[in-house]
Amino acid sequence: RGKETELRYQPYLDQYYKQRLGWDYEHITNERQKELDVDRIVHWAEDREFYTEDKYVNDENYTRVFLETVQNSNVGSIGWIYVCRAKYIFYTFCNDTYLRVLKFDRKELKQWFNEHHWDYPEITAHREVTKPKGLLVPISHFPPSVLLDKDYFCISNKEEEK
């Protein structure tokens, strides 16, 4: 399910990166992605770059963020909250009209997680084959130093529907 959602909505998040943020980037799909647990490299200024990680949820009314502690319960692989090396995590709630994009500072999120993870029960996402584990945290619980921005990006084009 997660990969299908990513494949469906990634082109729209690509537009968001270009149109809303004005960022020049490339997707990372090799060993570097696996090693750093990131999705994009953003080219910033002259000879400067940083990484981003994209998360997709196919539900625009979602009010919580899943902080993955175990990626695959079947083999015990560590979740992205521990291994991701991105500068920013873009957590994106998707539907056929718009994206709701949350921009997290990864370092601040990790620090917040280390201080508050005991406040939330760990759950297993049984709908996924890999049965990832993690914490469901209400969006309202993140301070501004962690959740840097909340944005909406229209993906519906009425002219195309005619």
Side-chain angles (χ1 to χ4, degrees):
R1 261 178 67 130
K3 200 60 167 169
E4 292 171 12
T5 300
E6 180 178 348
L7 290 173
R8 181 175 180 189
Y9 292 102
Q10 185 182 53
Y12 300 114
L13 194 59
D14 290 349
Q15 290 176 16
Y16 177 83
Y17 270 75
K18 290 177 183 173
Q19 294 174 11
R20 187 66 53 89
L21 301 175
W23 288 354
D24 180 30
Y25 66 88
E26 60 186 277
H27 292 280
I28 301 173
T29 56
N30 54 25
E31 290 301 315
R32 196 176 194 188
Q33 183 207 25
K34 292 177 186 173
E35 175 189 334
L36 300 171
D37 197 22
V38 297
D39 290 318
R40 302 172 195 250
I41 182 168
V42 175
H43 304 286
W44 187 257
E46 193 173 310
D47 296 327
R48 295 185 67 191
E49 58 190 30
F50 59 86
Y51 302 108
T52 65
E53 172 69 3
D54 304 328
K55 301 295 179 192
Y56 299 86
V57 178
N58 194 11
D59 182 355
E60 75 274 14
N61 295 316
Y62 212 69
T63 59
R64 299 176 292 177
V65 171
F66 184 71
L67 303 180
E68 182 187 78
T69 56
V70 177
Q71 181 185 42
N72 186 330
S73 293
N74 301 321
V75 297
S77 56
I78 298 172
W80 64 261
I81 193 68
Y82 296 114
V83 297
C84 180
R85 297 295 175 252
K87 181 175 180 70
Y88 301 115
I89 296 172
F90 287 88
Y91 210 100
T92 307
F93 301 99
C94 313
N95 70 24
D96 291 332
T97 307
Y98 63 87
L99 303 179
R100 181 177 179 211
V101 183
L102 306 180
K103 179 183 175 186
F104 287 92
D105 180 293
R106 197 260 321 153
K107 285 183 180 179
E108 293 290 328
L109 177 62
K110 179 75 183 290
Q111 182 177 336
W112 182 92
F113 173 83
N114 289 337
E115 294 170 3
H116 297 279
H117 71 278
W118 298 112
D119 300 339
Y120 305 91
E122 185 174 64
I123 60 117
T124 302
H126 291 286
R127 292 184 299 184
E128 300 291 332
V129 175
T130 58
K131 295 183 176 40
K133 293 182 180 183
L135 313 179
L136 275 176
V137 179
I139 295 167
S140 61
H141 290 199
F142 295 108
S145 62
V146 174
L147 178 53
L148 303 176
D149 195 19
K150 299 177 201 172
D151 200 359
Y152 287 88
F153 185 70
C154 182
I155 64 174
S156 172
N157 188 338
K158 299 296 181 192
E159 294 301 316
E160 289 180 3
E161 295 172 7
K162 292 181 180 178

